[in-house]
Structure formats: structure tokens, C-alpha cells
Amino acid sequence: MELSIKSRLVSGEKLFGVWAEGSSPTNVEVLGMAGYDFVIIDNEHACHSNPNFLHLIRAAEIREIAPIVRVPGPVVEDHFKKALDMGASGVLVPNIYTKEDAERSVRYSKYAPIGNRGCCPFLRSNLYGTKYGTVDYYPKSNDEVSTILLFETKESVANIDDILSVHGIDSVFIGPVDLAMSMGIPGDNNNPKLVETIRYIARKAHEYHLSAGMFCESPEMLRKWVNEVDYVTTGYDVSILLNAATKALQDFKAAIC
Ligand code: 3PY
Ligand code: MG
């Protein structure tokens, strides 16, 4: 990993991220140029194939935007290994329900003694052996890689103390979309039950000295949560392109009216 957001999160810096749902490295490069701190390459909902997300990680590095990969879930070790070995600076793990899910996430993303990630120092993540050598690479990787758990099920909220006491987790990310669905109130962003639950997750994260991030749909949504969360994602590459393209077309059409 070339770029780490871990120490920046610990220092309380407010960070802004964006999702890569499209599979274009150029999109990632441009998002870096726009000044985002991190990009989440979505391997849960989007359709990146493994060799392609290597290109997205490279594009992120060129523009110094930290590449985080959202793996499909906490169960399959291979998903973590491929993303991190290619040089992702962290993993976002969705569909967390239990303490076992958190333990697996740490086991697959951190080297011993914290986890049990399969070892090889000659990976791209260590610039093929040249970045930290063959001994220092493992502790350095553990220092730099962010293991971020996505709280988006009511079960994860019920088990929050068990989950957050697992050593090796770096951060909590709140997913209001699935969380609302899991609570039986899909799409109801202002529902007091959802609002209270989000507040509770952020408070708990801070109680465990972890940073709390959140998916924000709009600046208005961020205004509501700015005092409770430390970092946010602000949209998708594809929706940013769609909105800008729609507006540009409208503006040009307006010029000939
Ligand atoms: C959700 O809100 O469910 C997400 O996965 C996005 O953060
Ligand atoms: Mg989700």
C-alpha cells in the first residue's frame, strides 16, 4: 500500500471519499485530481473483475487518493488477500453481523500476530519486495492497512460491544441504506429510529477509540451528521458524471433558447 488514511483518521482529520462503481481507472484518476482523500472501489455491488481493480488501484496511487476496496463480505479470505496484495490501503467489510465476522475480517487483513493474513513480501503491496524489505513489511502493513467494518444490519448493532472489542479493527463505517432496510424502514432516512441508531453506532465507535465514517447522500445529510462522524463518502463516480453531464447538456441547450 502506498497511501494510508489510518493515521489521518486517528488524528481526527475530516476526510472525504467517493465510491468507484464504474470500472474506469480514468474516473478514479479524475476523482483524485478533484481532491478526494480516498476512493472506495466497490467489489460488493459493482462489477469489477480482479485484474481491473488493479488498474483502479494504480490510478488512485498516481493521483494520491487512497484506494480502499469494499470486499463482498467477511467470509471469503481470497477477497481480502487479492485486494490487499494488489496494494489496497484498506478494506471495507460489509454485511457484518457478529463478533466472528469481525474476527474473520481482522484475521484476513492483518498479518500475525494481530491476524493471520497469508504472507509473501514480494507482492505489489510491498512494491515487489523493495518498499519495506522482507522483515519490516509485515508490521508496516499492519500499521498502514485500515480494517473498516460496515455497520448496516440490526444484528451488528445488537452485537456492537462484542464486535468492537475485537483487536485489530481500525474504524466503523455506517451504512444507512441497508441499515434502514434491516430495521424495516427502507429509504426512510429521517425516521427517528434510524437517526437514533446511527447516533448510537457513532457514539459506540468513539467509546472504543475508533473513528466513525458514514455514507452521505448529500451536503444536507452531512450537515446533520458533521459533529458525530469523522469521515464521509459523498457519492459515486457514475452519479457525479451523470449529474454533471445532465447539467452541462441543459446549460448548452439553454444557450440556444
Ligand atoms: C449502505 O448504506 O448500506 C451502504 O452499504 C453504503 O454505505
Ligand atoms: Mg450496504
Side-chain angles (χ1 to χ4, degrees):
M1 62 281 123
E2 275 292 273
L3 298 156
S4 174
I5 55 168
K6 199 156 143 173
S7 57
R8 296 176 71 191
L9 288 176
V10 170
S11 72
E13 207 179 323
K14 292 265 183 213
L15 300 184
F16 291 86
V18 61
W19 295 81
E21 293 296 312
S23 46
S24 161
T26 305
N27 285 0
V28 171
E29 187 182 9
V30 169
L31 293 167
M33 291 168 71
Y36 286 98
D37 300 296
F38 64 96
V39 57
I40 302 181
I41 298 166
D42 191 3
N43 199 30
E44 182 195 9
H45 290 305
C47 51
H48 307 293
S49 59
N50 277 353
N52 192 57
F53 71 68
L54 172 55
H55 300 315
L56 274 68
I57 289 172
R58 280 202 181 111
E61 290 169 356
I62 288 170
R63 295 298 169 203
E64 302 193 346
I65 173 173
I68 309 287
V69 171
R70 173 156 74 174
V71 293
V75 177
V76 180
E77 181 174 9
D78 206 39
H79 293 141
F80 290 71
K81 206 183 259 177
K82 291 281 182 282
L84 292 171
D85 289 359
M86 282 184 206
S89 73
V91 281
L92 174 65
V93 192
N95 303 314
I96 297 291
Y97 289 86
T98 61
K99 180 179 181 181
E100 287 68 38
D101 292 334
E103 286 172 339
R104 256 191 239 110
S105 302
V106 171
R107 196 177 319 135
Y108 299 156
S109 58
K110 298 283 162 61
Y111 290 113
I114 299 173
N116 191 28
R117 181 176 157 195
C119 291
C120 175
F122 302 108
L123 305 167
R124 187 171 183 282
S125 52
N126 191 27
L127 299 180
Y128 312 109
T130 65
K131 190 176 182 201
Y132 294 127
T134 55
V135 176
D136 291 346
Y137 166 62
Y138 304 112
K140 285 282 191 191
S141 172
N142 282 352
D143 285 349
E144 293 180 11
V145 162
S146 300
T147 304
I148 307 171
L149 301 189
L150 181 41
F151 276 70
E152 56 178 355
T153 61
K154 60 182 192 310
E155 291 81 358
S156 65
V157 181
N159 295 324
I160 197 162
D161 283 298
D162 282 350
I163 292 172
L164 295 186
S165 39
V166 172
H167 177 57
I169 299 167
D170 299 300
S171 185
V172 165
F173 194 80
I174 301 165
V177 180
D178 272 307
L179 186 58
M181 176 64 88
S182 165
M183 293 171 69
I185 45 172
D188 193 359
N189 278 347
N190 293 319
N191 188 301
K193 273 200 311 192
L194 181 67
V195 170
E196 192 37 52
T197 305
I198 292 173
R199 196 165 279 139
Y200 175 71
I201 299 170
R203 199 171 62 236
K204 276 286 179 187
H206 292 142
E207 212 175 288
Y208 282 82
H209 305 289
L210 299 171
S211 53
M214 180 162 160
F215 172 89
C216 273
E217 281 179 16
S218 61
E220 293 68 46
M221 188 168 171
L222 173 56
R223 247 174 242 123
K224 187 161 144 193
W225 292 109
V226 67
N227 293 324
E228 329 223 6
V229 296
D230 309 296
Y231 63 106
V232 289
T233 56
T234 63
Y236 298 96
D237 54 351
V238 281
S239 50
I240 292 169
L241 177 60
L242 178 60
N243 292 340
T246 306
K247 173 147 188 348
L249 182 59
Q250 280 166 355
D251 290 350
F252 273 91
K253 283 189 172 174
I256 59 165
C257 290

